[in-house]
Amino acid sequence: MTNELLAYRDRFPILEHTTYLINHSLGAMPARVEERMREYARTWAERGIRAWGEGWWTMPLTVGDQIGRIIGAPPGTVCMHQNVSVAESVVLSCFQATGERSRIVYERENFPSVRYVYQARHDLDVTVADDVVAAIDERTLLVPVQHVLFKSAEIQDVEAIVHAAHDAGAYVVLDAYQSAGAVPLDLTALGVDFAVGGSVKWLCGGPGAGWLYVRPDLIERLEPALTGWQAHARPFAFEPELEYADGIARFLTGTPNVPALYAATPGYDLIEEIGVDRIRANSLRQTQQLIDGAEARGFEIRSPREPARRGGTVTVHAPEFEAVHKELSERQILCDFRPDAGLRLGPHYFTSDDELERVLDQIAEIVTTGAHERWLGATARF
Ligand SMILES: Cc1ncc(COP(=O)(O)O)c(C=O)c1O
């Protein structure tokens, strides 16, 4: 069987010399990003100040609509921010003087940056929960959870969480960073109140292009305290008093991160062209190949095995895997590791089956020959 998605390999320059299995951390750069960065510079150089009126000013919304098409959100419900920490802070800033309803049922496995955002609000009671559904009660205000857990790549049952939260009158904030672009997502069908994510990972959109979704019927009812002039009804009137814009623009802050938004869209274009369903089908096949191949070589799998529960990354436990990771990197094979789990292998739609076999062979060879031992005790963050 030929894998049609391999036709996209030549869109990613790094694949010419590197096996790229770290798409859960920094997705590979599409070649067209260079062209887009030149377009950005040319626009600034040739159009100058007119560029704002010719698209720059509204980019957080137009690019947000493109994200919306990937994550199952209607037009006008997604806006762009620098990162998840900012997007989630904007959500939290909508809730001041919360009174009796001041509990955050916080999922223990959330990404740490998100945890700091909630911890920093001393007026809230942050309850860290392993069983989120059980912890939700009538004092709960917000329930920040992930779709695909960042450490284990496990897919969560978001519907059950939304159901419990809404029954109790609480809002769900879904961090879909580890699913957007890899696992099908329909925010409207899920009924989540807010969702956040970024573009660094499976969307292959690079840093600086975080996104925020707000459920359509909530948009006009909320007034974020973390704000700026892009959120004003008439930003160019420079009025002294805050009057929120209509629509999702009211969730913006100040001057947008224009170059990052230029860089982000080639990755989104490819995801839209291929479709997340096809990406997911290929990912399920390749993650199964990794699971079977690792086990056949005697390695243990430390990420979910069932198709319905596993995201795009397989964690393979090998002896002294930190040093094995370093040796793989010396051999132009990029992946990462988690201290308590093992090597994390995250193929994407442009990865070939042959590459996966080769990586597994290399891991086995490194462990058998002890080639990694020269790196024992060395520390590496990336
Ligand atoms: C699930 C998840 N949320 C958030 C982040 C990052 O947050 P921020 O965009 O604020 O850097 C990551 C990884 O970088 C992540 O995996």
Side-chain angles (χ1 to χ4, degrees), residues 83-86 111 113-114 146 148 150 175 177-178 201:
N83 55 44
V84 163
S85 310
V86 171
F111 192 79
S113 193
V114 171
Q146 294 169 93
V148 173
F150 89 96
D175 181 344
Y177 211 144
Q178 288 292 349
K201 305 170 194 301

Side-chain angles (χ1 to χ4, degrees), residues 20-355:
Y20 206 78
L21 296 179
I22 191 152
N23 300 291
H24 49 262
S25 179
L26 179 61
M29 190 197 85
R32 222 170 71 71
V33 172
E34 273 192 49
E35 199 184 302
R36 283 288 280 169
M37 295 316 284
R38 275 197 297 275
E39 189 184 332
Y40 159 69
R42 228 177 17 247
T43 306
W44 185 8
E46 291 172 12
R47 302 303 298 156
I49 188 77
R50 290 167 294 193
W52 287 117
E54 292 168 359
W56 281 14
W57 183 258
T58 50
M59 270 183 111
L61 306 182
T62 52
V63 174
D65 279 344
Q66 183 170 18
I67 288 283
R69 294 196 292 273
I70 296 171
I71 60 178
T77 59
V78 179
C79 64
M80 303 303 291
H81 283 284
Q82 184 184 338
N83 55 44
V84 163
S85 310
V86 171
E88 202 129 353
S89 299
V90 171
V91 171
L92 186 52
S93 81
C94 297
F95 303 96
Q96 311 284 337
T98 51
E100 290 294 291
R101 212 177 253 285
S102 62
R103 171 164 290 175
I104 307 294
V105 172
Y106 181 90
E107 177 178 51
R108 186 182 303 282
E109 294 299 321
N110 278 332
F111 192 79
S113 193
V114 171
R115 187 158 182 170
Y116 311 148
V117 167
Y118 291 95
Q119 273 175 355
R121 274 281 297 270
H122 299 300
D123 57 324
L124 299 175
D125 158 25
V126 181
T127 302
V128 179
D130 291 309
D131 183 345
V132 170
V133 169
I136 293 170
D137 61 13
E138 72 289 349
R139 288 163 300 172
T140 307
L141 175 66
L142 293 174
V143 185
V145 295
Q146 294 169 93
H147 183 204
V148 173
L149 303 184
F150 89 96
K151 263 192 202 161
S152 64
E154 178 176 352
I155 300 177
Q156 288 217 96
D157 184 358
V158 177
E159 275 170 38
I161 295 170
V162 172
H163 200 261
H166 288 179
D167 270 357
Y171 298 111
V172 173
V173 190
L174 182 69
D175 181 344
Y177 211 144
Q178 288 292 349
S179 54
V183 177
L185 188 55
D186 186 339
L187 291 180
T188 303
L190 279 177
V192 294
D193 308 288
F194 305 95
V196 296
S199 302
V200 171
K201 305 170 194 301
W202 307 101
L203 291 170
C204 297
W211 51 266
L212 166 64
Y213 159 84
V214 183
R215 212 180 73 202
D217 59 298
L218 283 178
I219 292 176
E220 307 293 336
R221 284 160 44 194
L222 295 171
E223 299 192 336
L226 176 46
T227 189
W229 65 308
Q230 273 223 310
H232 198 281
R234 293 167 298 280
F236 293 98
F238 306 105
E239 295 171 16
E241 300 302 325
L242 169 60
E243 185 186 320
Y244 287 100
D246 289 337
I248 193 71
R250 68 167 59 207
F251 291 86
L252 293 174
T253 60
T255 307
N257 192 354
V258 173
L261 299 179
Y262 267 87
T265 58
Y268 307 165
D269 292 343
L270 288 166
I271 303 267
E272 278 203 277
E273 186 179 317
I274 300 167
V276 180
D277 286 337
R278 281 171 79 203
I279 293 173
R280 174 67 173 160
N282 186 58
S283 162
L284 280 172
R285 193 180 58 74
Q286 291 195 323
T287 47
Q288 191 62 53
Q289 183 190 340
L290 281 172
I291 291 171
D292 295 343
E295 288 188 330
R297 290 166 178 82
F299 301 118
E300 197 189 318
I301 299 301
R302 295 275 177 93
S303 50
R305 311 171 57 91
E306 323 85 81
R309 281 278 162 261
R310 68 175 192 258
T313 308
V314 174
T315 304
V316 175
H317 186 266
E320 293 157 341
F321 55 79
E322 297 191 13
V324 174
H325 161 262
K326 175 72 178 141
E327 180 61 24
L328 285 170
S329 155
E330 289 293 306
R331 300 178 183 198
Q332 308 307 321
I333 297 168
L334 299 186
C335 62
D336 66 0
F337 62 89
R338 282 286 169 262
D340 43 357
L343 296 164
R344 298 200 310 167
L345 309 177
H348 210 353
Y349 57 86
F350 42 71
T351 308
S352 72
D353 297 356
D354 289 349
E355 280 180 303

